[in-house]
Amino acid sequence: MENVKWHPPPNPWLSPNQIKVTKPPKNRLPQTNTYLKYIGLSFQLFAIIGLGTWFGWFVQQKSQMRFPVWLLLFCFLSIVIAFYQLFISMKNDEKSEDDNKKV
């Protein structure tokens, strides 16, 4: 008897013409980088607000005032700085998107 290899039967539901190999779109990579950028930006905002609040608490403890004026001042100041950084980042992203659309 001959040495015969067994091959599974072809799938009757798919003909060779129906099988298509698709490549992922090329524009997926910048979108992923954008997500990573904004995740990093959220950590930066958290760090700025956290450090500003901690510094306000530290100054407040050293001044020994009853009303937490330094804590409030540095907390709100750090929030303003964090949102300014967010605004600048969004403005730069919008500018780069407009440049990419022109090309």
Side-chain angles (χ1 to χ4, degrees):
M1 193 164 170
E2 293 180 31
N3 227 352
V4 178
K5 291 184 177 180
W6 181 81
H7 295 289
N11 188 344
W13 303 105
L14 292 176
S15 69
N17 295 334
Q18 291 176 334
I19 300 173
K20 294 182 181 178
V21 177
T22 58
K23 295 180 181 178
K26 292 182 180 181
N27 61 355
R28 298 266 306 178
L29 186 60
Q31 187 177 14
T32 304
N33 287 339
T34 304
Y35 289 137
L36 293 176
K37 180 178 181 179
Y38 287 124
I39 289 172
L41 185 62
S42 68
F43 285 112
Q44 287 178 1
L45 296 178
F46 178 74
I48 290 170
I49 294 170
L51 287 174
T53 304
W54 175 82
F55 188 70
W57 176 81
F58 179 74
V59 172
Q60 185 67 38
Q61 293 298 318
K62 293 294 182 183
S63 70
Q64 296 181 356
M65 296 173 68
R66 288 189 185 262
F67 187 73
V69 68
W70 297 111
L71 178 63
L72 292 172
L73 178 71
F74 282 105
C75 180
F76 288 127
L77 185 64
S78 65
I79 290 171
V80 168
I81 291 170
F83 276 107
Y84 178 74
Q85 183 181 7
L86 176 67
F87 174 73
I88 294 298
S89 176
M90 297 287 278
K91 190 175 176 182
N92 289 340
D93 287 344
E94 184 178 317
K95 185 178 175 183
S96 66
E97 284 179 10
D98 289 344
D99 291 344
N100 289 341
K101 285 181 182 178
K102 288 180 183 177
V103 172

